[in-house]
Amino acid sequence: MAEFVVTSVATKLSQMVTQELILLHGVSDEVEWMERELRWIKCFLKDADAKGKRDERVKNWVNDVTELAYRAEAAIDSFLIQVRQCKGDPSWINRFKPKVWIARHHVGVEISKIKKRLNEIKAAKETYGIQNLGEGGDASNLISIRRRRHFSPHYSDDADIIGLVNDEKILLERLMNQQQHGSCVISIVGIGGLGKTTLAWKLYRSNAASNHFHKCIWLTVSQQNSLIDLLRKLLKQVAGMTVDLENKEENYLIDMINDSLRAQRILIVLDDIWQEDVCIRMQGIFQNVNNGSRVLITTRFVNVAKRADPRSTPYQLQLLNDDESMKLLLKKAFLYEDDDQANCCSSELLNIGRHLMRKCSGLPLALVVLGGFLSIRDKTPVEWRRVLETMDWEAQGISTCQEILALSYEDLPHHMKLCFLYFCAYPEDYEIYGIELIRKWVAEGFIPQEGTKTSEDIAEAILEELIQRSLIHVNKRKSNGSVKTCGVHDLLLDFARSMAKKDRFLTVCSDQNDQPISSALSHRVAVHISNYELTNEINTRHDGLRTLMAFPLVQFYLCDHKIVSSMFRFQFLRVLDFGRGGCLSRLPKEIKLMIHLRYLRLFGVHDSGRPSVPSSIGDLQLLETIDIVCAAHMPITLWKIKTLRHVLLLRCTPPQSLKLEDLHTLDSVTFGSHETINWSFPNLRKLKVLISKEHHGAMLTHLLRELGHLISLHINAEEGCHIEINTTKGFPFHNRLLSLTLHGPWPTGNTLSELPIYLTKLELRDSGLKEDPMPKLERLQYLVTLKFFGNVYLGETMLCSAGRFPRLETLFITGWFSDKVRSFGLTCVWNSLPNLEEWRVESGAMPKLTFLRLTACENLKMLPDLQHVMNLQILELFVMSQELMLRAEEQTGEDWYKIQHVSKRTLSLRGKSDIL
């Protein structure tokens, strides 16, 4: 990490000398001297980082260098921010302005102090006998070989199920044992990294479980202490409740869950339980349930499994044998090679592979990570032998896994190490959004420049490489193939946190470790909040703090204005993130002090009667991302920030004339308040537009014609408005757009215009189309996801032609709910295709469709010919006619033959508040 920080600062100093030479009059020599010294020190840091693992003196020396580099970076940024405000005049005039004189004086004083400290650090290298740094090659003895940067455009994120086939069969028999009518708990026990969650997930998603149980529910428990939160989540899934459960007591929740379990046969999976008392206190849930409901838990501890159900024998998961281990290792190592590549290995390569395999001691996680490490290398005996000889393989068991994790981690370039360590900020089993992670990496300055590529594109490639190396895993992907959500295995998370703590990269403060923010020495702090209010321990000054993130287990509120004001005095913060649940009454005026802030994310800012966001937010001249879901007011000064890249607000109205060259995301902008606009966003990628009654279609058309890099467009028309645009080839983004959402009616009598040909996702709502839209939509050869919400098409017949929709995987034809109705837990569905009587699906249409949901098509007389859609795995029918539901009944229905191949079917005459 030290090498990365020093390199970054040295580069800034070099740019500063080049670009601000006149403004640096009087201190330019000191700046050039510091830049040379840091580049000299950088030569020693790679070796010093490795030796610091074994030598405390070297470790302390590296920490001193890192702290000094951070200090120099702060001085540079502060100077540049102050002089940037004076750049309107010629440089020879600016140089005599009082603000520049003051800024130059301050940076000169600080550089003098840094220079003195730097000389002390250099002298300490000799005084304390720190010798031979940078000599004799790479002291870490890590392999240094050519990396192969080849990535397949399509990634396989399925869990590796090797060696678990027999385990799955045995556990399925226990889950569906017809002789055991009473509910029982079945436990899967084993050490971390053994594949407990993988096996449980396979059981949960199996066709046999889907057909046997009325409902299957998955909850990750981990080390959370709040049983009542777990019960709330469980009740919402078991009973489909959306009412407020915050004030309900534990016994009430248990009784409600118990009632639901008696009414239907349910499988509940509780993944990763750590504490006995969770099992003990939940036993009341299953009293007097005699319909075959089951609970499947995974845990590392036998005592927890026995407490869950003393009558049920825990299922002990075993390590993989040699054949299974070798199969898994080769599968990961040859992940993107030809199918037969692994079978064509030379005998010498396979022999080395067996030696590597045995070092993993049958632990699946170790094999997966090692395989990912090998996947980016040439498949030659020389390369693999280097890996075998690199590490100290004397340790066995779980410590061997740690050695393999260290091998993969140390092989990462410095910037990728920082990106990986960033995962340790998130709570265990947290759903991490890829786009959020990428924006934070960019704000932190982790992403190196590569030619003309954007920082976000480079960061996305880094995320994919971490996935290929099996250091993180994908949970969901978007229709265009990019990562939607991802996560990290518990053992990898523990490893990352140990490395982050050692390098003072990041500290996690939570109830579990009792670590107060005031004692954190790291440059980044993540707070895992389990209380409703942030505690007073945040009321402290931490001059070195660069990042403050809070991850609430419940929604929390910052009510104490003293706490809020103190928090916004962390002057060197780059990232401030209060996640999905953090609410402020208002942003304090002290926010203007956070001049280094690049990333600001809050759930909401509410303060009736006065502006909730002060105009001083315009002083944050380095801000790149502002993400505030709910804000009562956003001042016009926001748009003076020229570094803005991602603006995500409930709604905003930029000034009539605005140019932001770096803007990538604008969500959501309101049209209607200006008669004309002069907006220039040449690099905009994602745009969400709210159309009001005062909107003039020509304005939006004018804007869209200037957006050549747009990949995602969302247009939402308010009630009484029409979508008055087309998306023909005349638009520059026609061959780039991947996602299109159109909420609102098209002009009367109009039909869909020609759509961008590379769309992967299309969503329509209330379009009011009179002609069948399918003939035009089915020409979209790359479409993966298609969603209809409410009154999209008003005709009586619809046709999907043979051979069309070749890549479509997900199809929603559904109504939608009023937010007010949903909040009361009631059901009120608008028709999706209100007049549709016949839907024909010809043989060969939608060959890759896996998910189909039909809701509120109450005039549809029979199911389409889905028997030809052989990949269909999930079918959901809600609020359909009784006639159609009778035709779809198992075995006896006239349309049963059309859907009998579908593994998971959900059919309901009534609507449910959670089906959307």
Side-chain angles (χ1 to χ4, degrees):
M1 186 177 73
E3 182 181 357
F4 177 86
V5 175
V6 169
T7 301
S8 175
V9 175
T11 301
K12 278 189 176 183
L13 286 168
S14 178
Q15 294 172 348
M16 189 177 179
V17 170
T18 303
Q19 300 171 10
E20 311 289 348
L21 184 60
I22 295 178
L23 293 175
L24 285 172
H25 177 72
V27 295
S28 58
D29 290 343
E30 285 82 354
V31 172
E32 289 180 359
W33 176 89
M34 188 164 63
E35 187 263 340
R36 289 194 303 270
E37 291 296 304
L38 288 176
R39 292 200 180 277
W40 178 84
I41 287 177
K42 177 194 168 186
C43 300
F44 299 93
L45 283 177
K46 185 175 183 180
D47 196 29
D49 267 335
K51 285 186 175 181
K53 296 177 176 62
R54 304 182 299 274
D55 191 327
E56 195 68 24
R57 297 171 302 167
V58 178
K59 178 182 176 181
N60 290 333
W61 185 80
V62 171
N63 286 338
D64 287 343
V65 171
T66 306
E67 290 299 324
L68 190 70
Y70 274 120
R71 185 174 171 181
E73 181 184 46
I76 298 165
D77 286 344
S78 297
F79 174 79
L80 292 178
I81 290 170
Q82 292 177 60
V83 300
R84 180 176 294 179
Q85 300 172 354
C86 304
K87 278 196 170 183
D89 298 323
S91 296
W92 65 272
I93 295 178
N94 283 333
R95 122 183 213 185
F96 296 109
K97 286 189 174 181
K99 284 186 178 180
V100 175
W101 275 100
I102 295 171
R104 188 188 303 130
H105 172 73
H106 286 162
V107 76
V109 171
E110 184 64 11
I111 287 176
S112 296
K113 294 178 181 178
I114 293 171
K115 184 176 181 180
K116 179 181 178 181
R117 179 63 182 140
L118 191 57
N119 284 324
E120 292 173 354
I121 290 173
K122 288 171 61 180
K125 181 173 175 289
E126 306 295 333
T127 303
Y128 296 107
I130 304 173
Q131 303 295 336
N132 302 321
L133 292 181
E135 301 175 7
D138 190 351
S140 66
N141 197 34
L142 289 173
I143 56 179
S144 178
I145 57 181
R146 177 175 60 87
R147 289 188 176 82
R148 300 170 61 201
R149 300 298 181 96
H150 62 290
F151 295 103
S152 169
H154 302 290
Y155 290 85
S156 175
D157 300 318
D158 295 333
D160 296 292
I161 311 295
I162 292 180
L164 299 177
V165 176
N166 191 51
D167 301 304
E168 180 190 3
K169 181 179 179 181
I170 293 171
L171 287 170
L172 272 176
E173 291 176 355
R174 292 182 61 179
L175 286 172
M176 296 183 292
N177 183 1
Q178 300 295 332
Q179 305 301 319
Q180 171 106 33
H181 295 292
S183 63
C184 70
V185 179
I186 298 171
S187 304
I188 304 174
V189 182
I191 62 173
L194 198 53
K196 302 183 297 297
T197 299
T198 299
L199 177 57
W201 183 255
K202 185 164 179 62
L203 293 166
Y204 169 76
R205 293 298 300 270
S206 68
N207 295 340
S210 298
N211 293 331
H212 180 77
F213 296 98
H214 298 120
K215 185 179 290 187
C216 297
I217 293 169
W218 180 285
L219 280 179
T220 300
V221 181
S222 300
Q223 300 183 55
Q224 69 174 16
N225 297 315
S226 177
L227 175 65
I228 198 163
D229 286 338
L230 179 63
L231 291 173
R232 290 188 187 113
K233 293 176 184 176
L234 188 56
L235 181 57
K236 287 179 180 179
Q237 292 204 47
V238 169
M241 296 184 66
T242 58
V243 296
D244 184 15
L245 299 174
E246 296 298 329
N247 298 321
K248 304 300 182 183
E249 295 181 354
E250 184 177 304
N251 289 336
Y252 171 85
L253 298 173
I254 289 175
D255 290 342
M256 290 289 290
I257 296 171
N258 183 256
D259 291 342
S260 297
L261 289 177
R262 288 202 301 268
Q264 51 190 333
R265 187 166 59 243
I266 297 178
L267 170 64
I268 300 174
V269 182
L270 301 177
D271 183 41
D272 199 18
I273 295 182
W274 284 65
Q275 299 169 344
E276 291 184 40
D277 68 319
V278 172
C279 298
I280 295 171
R281 292 166 64 189
M282 289 184 66
Q283 286 177 353
I285 291 174
F286 314 111
Q287 292 178 358
N288 303 318
V289 177
N290 297 309
N291 61 356
S293 290
R294 297 286 184 265
V295 179
L296 179 67
I297 74 170
T298 69
T299 180
R300 301 183 187 187
F301 311 105
V302 175
N303 60 318
V304 171
K306 290 181 177 179
R307 282 284 190 177
D309 191 341
R311 303 166 300 172
S312 178
T313 303
Y315 190 82
Q316 191 82 43
L317 206 56
Q318 303 299 316
L319 295 165
L320 300 181
N321 60 36
D322 284 356
D323 288 342
E324 294 166 340
S325 296
M326 193 63 184
K327 184 178 179 181
L328 180 55
L329 180 67
L330 292 178
K331 180 178 180 180
K332 299 302 292 185
F334 290 88
L335 190 60
Y336 304 121
E337 307 291 339
D338 295 334
D339 293 339
D340 297 329
Q341 185 75 32
N343 298 324
C344 299
C345 292
S346 66
S347 58
E348 185 179 1
L349 188 65
L350 287 175
N351 185 51
I352 300 170
R354 290 189 188 95
H355 284 288
L356 287 167
M357 171 271 295
R358 293 190 183 103
K359 301 302 183 182
C360 297
S361 303
L363 191 65
L365 179 64
L367 289 158
V368 166
V369 174
L370 181 59
F373 178 73
L374 295 173
S375 72
I376 62 172
R377 289 171 162 70
D378 290 330
K379 310 303 186 293
T380 65
V382 173
E383 299 282 2
W384 283 25
R385 189 175 292 109
R386 285 177 181 171
V387 178
L388 185 61
E389 295 171 353
T390 293
M391 300 294 293
D392 177 11
W393 296 98
E394 296 301 322
Q396 295 296 323
I398 192 65
S399 58
T400 300
C401 183
Q402 294 294 323
E403 291 290 335
I404 292 170
L405 300 185
L407 171 67
S408 288
Y409 171 75
E410 294 295 348
D411 183 62
L412 295 171
H414 284 284
H415 64 278
M416 286 184 64
K417 286 181 180 178
L418 302 181
C419 292
F420 172 68
L421 290 182
Y422 217 72
F423 281 89
C424 72
Y426 293 85
E428 187 177 344
D429 300 309
Y430 196 81
E431 190 173 44
I432 305 170
Y433 282 85
I435 190 64
E436 169 194 322
L437 196 64
I438 285 171
R439 288 169 183 167
K440 287 182 182 177
W441 287 349
V442 173
E444 294 276 6
F446 294 163
I447 308 303
Q449 291 300 310
E450 294 182 10
T452 58
K453 293 182 180 178
T454 67
S455 298
E456 286 80 1
D457 288 342
I458 299 167
E460 186 173 3
I462 290 171
L463 184 61
E464 294 291 3
E465 182 163 350
L466 290 174
I467 292 166
Q468 177 176 352
R469 289 169 177 260
S470 296
L471 292 174
I472 63 172
H473 58 261
V474 175
N475 294 333
K476 297 177 185 176
R477 284 192 181 273
K478 298 179 182 178
S479 58
N480 62 7
S482 63
V483 175
K484 183 175 183 178
T485 61
C486 57
V488 59
H489 190 280
D490 294 351
L491 292 183
L492 282 159
L493 181 61
D494 291 341
F495 173 81
R497 285 181 177 168
S498 67
M499 297 301 296
K501 183 177 180 180
K502 179 181 69 67
D503 291 338
R504 293 198 287 187
F505 174 80
L506 186 145
T507 298
V508 174
C509 301
S510 68
D511 294 339
Q512 293 179 6
N513 61 21
D514 296 323
Q515 171 77 63
I517 295 176
S518 55
S519 66
L521 297 176
S522 302
H523 296 285
R524 297 166 186 84
V525 171
V527 187
H528 297 173
I529 300 171
S530 58
N531 299 318
Y532 284 91
E533 290 189 12
L534 204 57
T535 59
N536 282 321
E537 66 183 23
I538 201 170
N539 188 8
T540 181
R541 187 177 181 84
H542 189 335
D543 286 337
L545 196 62
R546 261 61 176 178
T547 299
L548 178 60
M549 293 182 277
F551 298 97
L553 301 177
V554 296
Q555 190 176 71
F556 68 97
Y557 299 88
L558 293 168
C559 302
D560 190 325
H561 293 294
K562 291 182 179 179
I563 295 175
V564 173
S565 296
S566 297
M567 178 180 56
F568 281 88
R569 291 181 184 274
F570 293 129
Q571 296 185 26
F572 295 108
L573 275 185
R574 283 171 169 259
V575 173
L576 179 60
D577 180 11
F578 284 145
R580 305 166 198 172
C583 290
L584 294 172
S585 58
R586 63 186 177 89
L587 278 177
K589 61 182 180 181
E590 287 84 1
I591 193 173
K592 68 180 181 180
L593 301 176
M594 302 173 71
I595 58 176
H596 300 280
L597 198 65
R598 270 82 165 171
Y599 184 102
L600 174 62
R601 182 169 178 246
L602 301 168
F603 177 76
V605 183
H606 301 280
D607 193 5
S608 58
R610 53 181 169 178
S612 54
V613 178
S615 60
S616 58
I617 196 170
D619 293 341
L620 309 183
Q621 289 297 307
L622 298 180
L623 191 65
E624 296 173 353
T625 297
I626 179 169
D627 184 353
I628 304 178
V629 176
C630 300
H633 170 78
M634 188 57 61
I636 199 71
T637 53
L638 173 70
W639 307 105
K640 295 181 180 180
I641 304 174
K642 299 304 179 183
T643 55
L644 287 174
R645 299 175 76 88
H646 307 284
V647 176
L648 299 102
L649 303 169
L650 182 63
R651 59 175 58 197
C652 61
T653 306
Q656 184 171 337
S657 180
L658 180 64
K659 181 177 182 180
L660 293 172
E661 294 188 355
D662 294 327
L663 191 65
H664 284 202
T665 305
L666 183 55
D667 179 2
S668 300
V669 60
T670 301
F671 273 79
S673 60
H674 300 309
E675 291 185 3
T676 60
I677 58 169
N678 182 24
W679 292 347
S680 177
F681 311 135
N683 290 299
L684 197 67
R685 301 286 191 91
K686 298 180 180 180
L687 173 64
K688 184 174 181 179
V689 176
L690 303 176
I691 297 177
S692 67
K693 292 182 179 180
E694 295 81 12
H695 161 65
H696 298 282
M699 275 202 306
L700 181 54
T701 302
H702 169 72
L703 174 63
L704 294 178
R705 288 193 183 280
E706 303 299 319
L707 303 179
H709 294 279
L710 204 65
I711 62 173
S712 176
L713 175 61
H714 183 133
I715 300 177
N716 192 354
E718 292 182 352
E719 187 175 354
C721 301
H722 289 87
I723 297 177
E724 301 177 15
I725 67 161
N726 59 44
T727 51
T728 60
K729 291 182 180 179
F731 285 82
F733 57 76
H734 184 82
N735 293 337
R736 291 177 178 266
L737 200 70
L738 300 178
S739 177
L740 178 62
T741 300
L742 301 173
H743 285 186
W746 290 72
T748 303
N750 200 358
T751 60
L752 287 176
S753 62
E754 183 177 356
L755 295 170
I757 59 175
Y758 292 111
L759 282 180
T760 61
K761 180 181 178 181
L762 176 63
E763 181 176 314
L764 302 175
R765 189 177 80 187
D766 286 338
S767 304
L769 300 173
K770 296 182 178 180
E771 294 184 12
D772 183 2
M774 290 303 183
K776 287 192 175 181
L777 298 183
E778 64 187 13
R779 299 173 189 170
L780 302 175
Q781 298 185 22
Y782 300 93
L783 199 64
V784 175
T785 300
L786 176 61
K787 296 184 178 183
F788 288 175
F789 288 98
N791 295 318
V792 170
Y793 169 47
L794 305 179
E796 297 178 355
T797 62
M798 190 166 70
L799 171 65
C800 292
S801 305
R804 297 304 179 100
F805 289 119
R807 290 180 172 84
L808 191 67
E809 297 177 5
T810 300
L811 176 57
F812 282 75
I813 299 178
T814 185
W816 54 281
F817 291 98
S818 164
D819 290 337
K820 292 182 179 179
V821 171
R822 287 175 65 102
S823 66
F824 287 102
L826 303 175
T827 302
C828 187
V829 184
W830 276 255
N831 288 330
S832 53
L833 304 180
N835 303 318
L836 186 67
E837 296 181 0
E838 180 185 9
W839 178 20
R840 287 186 292 144
V841 176
E842 295 182 348
S843 178
M846 303 182 290
K848 293 187 177 182
L849 190 70
T850 59
F851 180 94
L852 171 61
R853 174 179 292 169
L854 279 175
T855 302
C857 297
E858 296 182 337
N859 289 322
L860 188 64
K861 300 183 182 302
M862 66 177 67
L863 291 175
D865 293 329
L866 298 175
Q867 71 270 23
H868 306 301
V869 187
M870 297 307 299
N871 282 318
L872 189 60
Q873 298 173 14
I874 301 175
L875 172 65
E876 297 179 353
L877 302 176
F878 297 103
V879 202
M880 307 297 284
S881 69
Q882 186 172 8
E883 176 188 359
L884 185 141
M885 300 302 266
L886 288 173
R887 296 179 65 95
E889 281 190 353
E890 187 170 346
Q891 304 298 335
T892 60
E894 295 178 62
D895 288 348
W896 167 246
Y897 73 96
K898 300 177 181 179
I899 60 173
Q900 62 181 347
H901 65 290
V902 182
S903 58
K904 188 172 183 179
R905 300 175 297 275
T906 304
L907 288 75
S908 175
L909 276 171
R910 296 181 302 154
K912 295 190 176 182
S913 61
D914 60 342
I915 65 174
L916 295 183

